[in-house]
Amino acid sequence: MDTTSPGPTPRLGLFATAMLVMGGIVGSGIFMNPHVVAQDAPSSGAVLAAWLLGGAVALAGGFVWAELARARPGVGGQYAYLRDGVHPAAGFAYGWSNLLVVQTGGMAAVAVTFARYTHVLTSPPWGEAATAVAALSALTAINLCGVRAGSVVQSAFMVLKIGAIGALVACGLFLAPKAGAIEAAAKGHPGLRGFFAAMIAVLFAYGGWATATFVSGEIKDSARTLPRALILGTVGVVALYLGVNVACLKALGPGGLAAFDAPASEVMRRALGSPGATAIAAAIAVSTFGFLAQGMLVCPRVYYAMAQDGLFFRSVGRLNPRTGVPDVAIVLQGAFAIATALSGTYEEILSWVVTVDFAFLALTAWTVFVFRRRGAGVAVTTVFFIAVSLAVVVATFVEHPARSILGWTLVAAGLPVYVFWKRRIA
């Protein structure tokens, strides 16, 4: 590790960090995924049970990562937990998968979604690809100005997201007419396989709380602030998500929720007519841009930490002397996201995100027991989180075996790269 270069300066407080936690979770999924869940869990009880279980998993994960943040408050977050608690190769494989596919592919997909809804609102004379590139370029430039500038933009958009989701919940509960008898009737009883298929979509929507740990080295009093922010942010998202699903079920019923592939738009249309549909398009544009802002802020810190360990190009591990941010890492993330957005391959990439992401999450949660050493006991929340995460990985293999195998093949391709970098620093 390069010990001669100064570390990042802590600048983020509790509010900014809690907004980062929420911003890493809330993208466009909550506006779309309730439809997918209702198709696999075709009753009001099953839908709410799936989102409640997902909330419990996310909250358990928040508690686990809070403990890890206290045990390892340095730079890199989940990368560092895997490096120190499992093996440096595990940390590298995680960072490799983030840069190559998971975070980069997710950002590319969200950038295209942002562009799509922006064009619905404004109809500019250029294509959606140009708008996606412009959004990623703008956020790259903002984050090059410093962590505080990136945080202010991310926090502002997270507050707007909370307002937009709150408005959706209010419209569904109080303005939209109640679902008719046919829509309100349950369409069946989900079996165990169907329920676990629904959980894939639920946990995808809840994923992302762990990314806030990437900037742990830039959080004031990180050992105290980050655990509090993880719990506060996760609880806030669970409340928002449950509110959306209750509102959709009241306005559309389980039948309507399963029938409409854009349920949030349908709720707003029923509540406010065509202005409601326009409003939800604006809400999705805001939400996706805010998600991009969060990703562009936190993800480059993983590559910075890898370079500090000698496992990436040395320039990626340097901080700009004026702004104090890893500017090369930020440009690298922006360039990869732009290239992926232009390639059009992000949909294939995203098809295996869940199986890889939750396997790494389960492995990271296991490091709690490594850091506790002897005699600390076994936390029920940690065991619960690991068990559900592994069940989701298995369910994803059952539902999408070819995509899952492809995902792990790409992860395994990083191991020769790890050996190359280790030989360079040996």
Side-chain angles (χ1 to χ4, degrees), residues 93-408:
Y94 174 72
W96 163 269
S97 67
N98 274 352
L99 178 61
L100 190 66
V101 179
V102 176
Q103 296 297 336
T104 296
M107 291 173 68
V110 172
V112 172
T113 302
F114 164 77
R116 187 170 300 144
Y117 281 94
T118 299
H119 281 238
V120 169
L121 294 168
T122 61
S123 300
W126 54 80
E128 292 179 2
T131 300
V133 169
L136 292 167
S137 300
L139 289 170
T140 300
I142 289 169
N143 280 282
L144 287 173
C145 295
V147 68
R148 185 168 293 168
S151 173
V152 167
V153 171
Q154 199 284 140
S155 295
F157 274 86
M158 188 61 235
V159 170
L160 290 174
K161 279 195 270 187
I162 292 172
I165 293 173
L168 169 62
V169 173
C171 286
L173 292 178
F174 305 115
L175 296 181
K178 189 175 181 180
I182 295 178
E183 287 183 332
K187 298 301 180 182
H189 299 284
L192 188 60
R193 179 171 177 173
F195 188 79
F196 270 107
M199 287 303 300
I200 294 173
V202 169
L203 291 177
F204 185 84
Y206 272 118
W209 74 88
T211 58
T213 64
F214 297 168
V215 293
S216 54
E218 291 160 275
I219 298 171
K220 299 174 185 177
D221 190 11
S222 175
R224 182 169 179 265
T225 300
L226 184 52
R228 293 169 63 196
L230 282 164
I231 302 306
L232 289 172
T234 305
V235 169
V237 172
V238 172
L240 290 175
Y241 280 14
L242 289 177
V244 169
N245 279 275
V246 170
C248 287
L249 286 169
K250 185 263 181 184
L252 304 177
L257 190 56
F260 293 102
D261 57 5
S265 296
E266 181 62 19
V267 169
M268 293 297 287
R269 187 192 66 77
R270 294 186 182 192
L272 301 175
S274 58
T278 301
I280 202 65
I284 294 174
V286 166
S287 186
T288 50
F289 191 84
F291 184 86
L292 289 174
Q294 195 271 0
M296 196 63 73
L297 173 62
V298 302
C299 294
R301 273 64 183 177
V302 173
Y303 320 133
Y304 164 79
M306 291 168 63
Q308 285 281 296
D309 290 342
L311 297 176
F312 212 174
F313 297 106
R314 185 177 299 176
S315 60
V316 178
R318 293 173 181 163
L319 298 176
N320 184 289
R322 183 177 61 85
T323 62
V325 299
D327 48 5
V328 176
I330 292 170
V331 171
L332 179 71
Q333 179 65 88
F336 265 68
I338 288 170
T340 306
L342 291 175
S343 72
T345 61
Y346 50 87
E347 290 182 352
E348 290 80 4
I349 287 172
L350 286 179
S351 65
W352 62 269
V353 165
V354 171
T355 184
V356 172
D357 197 25
F358 272 87
F360 276 120
L361 289 173
L363 186 60
T364 305
W366 176 79
T367 65
V368 166
F369 305 120
V370 176
F371 297 139
R372 286 181 179 181
R373 308 291 181 182
R374 299 184 181 91
V378 176
V380 174
T381 53
T382 305
V383 173
F384 166 72
F385 179 81
I386 292 173
V388 175
S389 297
L390 292 178
V392 170
V393 172
V394 171
T396 308
F397 264 100
V398 171
E399 295 294 323
H400 309 290
R403 296 173 183 176
S404 298
I405 292 171
L406 172 62
W408 284 106

